[in-house]
Amino acid sequence: MEEGIVFSRDGAIATATINRPDKRNAMKMADLKALHRVLEEVEADKSIRALILTGAGDRAFSAGVDLSDVGGGAAAWDDNPLRNLCDRIEALPRVTIARINGAVIGGAAEVALACDFRVGVDTAKVMVPAAKIGIHYEPAGLRRAMAVVGMQAAKRIYLLCETIRAEELHRLGFFDNMVDAAALDGAVAEIAEAAASSAPLSVDGMKLTIMQIARGDLDMEAARARIRESWSSEDMKEGLAAVQAGRKADFKGR
């Protein structure tokens, strides 16, 4: 398997794997660009209904951005490549799932928080050492953390650089599901398959509406248009027919 980002697909479910296990899956600038290309491909291919993000091996989901690969001084981060990637993950009109197979360090926490769901092993931990090395995180990343774990936990993570372990991550809501390593793939697949089997117009549209409400920038007219589109769609007719017939719906996204 090549280093970098490895993209694979199983039916309607795609997976992007950060494959640098010897560096705890720390991401180089090239990896951030490769992940952007993955997101573009997933958005363009409407037959893909869910995207899983994970790291290779069993030590780490990711150690964040490889700081040895960062150059250009402070001004280069005015257009922060990690923030741009996480904004893109958050905005993707597909369900995204972080498959957390180990430690989540630094900017990898923001990647995980940008996903819709997070499933982690019971040995996982989150640690963001930004304040220990003089980094001020982006407001967008801090907002994501506060939205998921609350302000006090976000302060512990970002101001005190605490290591938060799996059980507490689950309690705080960072993990939607916490399992042992043997059950990880099954728990991730359960969420991915639930998303893949639902009506695309409903899932994609409601994800956008939920995220806009959370950010306080809801476009009500556009949301109403999505609602009208779903009510007049072939998929809604198919969904009702499937319920009446006691069978699984075959949605087409139209």
Side-chain angles (χ1 to χ4, degrees), residues 62-243:
S62 172
V65 176
D66 184 346
L67 295 181
S68 70
D69 197 43
V70 174
W77 286 78
D78 287 345
D79 186 27
N80 189 314
L82 180 63
R83 179 201 64 214
N84 293 341
L85 174 65
C86 292
D87 287 349
R88 189 72 183 78
I89 293 170
E90 185 177 77
L92 185 72
R94 303 288 185 279
V95 166
T96 52
I97 306 152
R99 174 189 176 273
I100 296 175
N101 50 314
V104 182
I105 303 169
E110 188 173 351
V111 173
L113 287 162
C115 292
D116 298 307
F117 301 99
R118 288 158 296 282
V119 180
V121 292
D122 53 13
T123 55
K125 61 184 178 182
V126 168
M127 194 276 193
V128 181
K132 297 293 187 186
I133 55 178
I135 291 174
H136 185 314
Y137 259 79
E138 293 276 343
L142 298 176
R143 171 188 61 78
R144 274 186 270 270
M146 290 171 63
V148 173
V149 302
M151 183 174 71
Q152 285 307 115
K155 286 179 179 179
R156 290 169 58 198
I157 292 169
Y158 288 93
L159 306 187
L160 304 183
C161 307
E162 282 192 28
T163 296
I164 312 295
R165 299 190 181 276
E167 288 189 5
E168 188 169 10
L169 290 169
H170 194 202
R171 180 182 64 79
L172 289 169
F174 183 93
F175 284 157
D176 295 284
N177 197 358
M178 181 187 72
V179 296
D180 61 32
L184 180 60
D185 286 335
V188 172
E190 185 176 354
I191 294 175
E193 289 164 5
S197 65
S198 296
L201 291 176
S202 300
V203 174
D204 295 354
M206 285 193 288
K207 173 177 175 175
L208 176 56
T209 301
I210 288 168
M211 297 312 303
Q212 288 183 346
I213 292 170
R215 294 193 301 262
D217 60 2
L218 176 64
D219 183 336
M220 183 62 77
E221 183 176 345
R224 289 293 178 196
R226 292 192 293 273
I227 291 168
R228 289 192 295 271
E229 182 182 21
S230 72
W231 277 89
S232 61
S233 67
E234 293 178 22
D235 277 355
M236 183 173 178
K237 296 174 185 176
E238 164 62 13
L240 291 173
V243 169

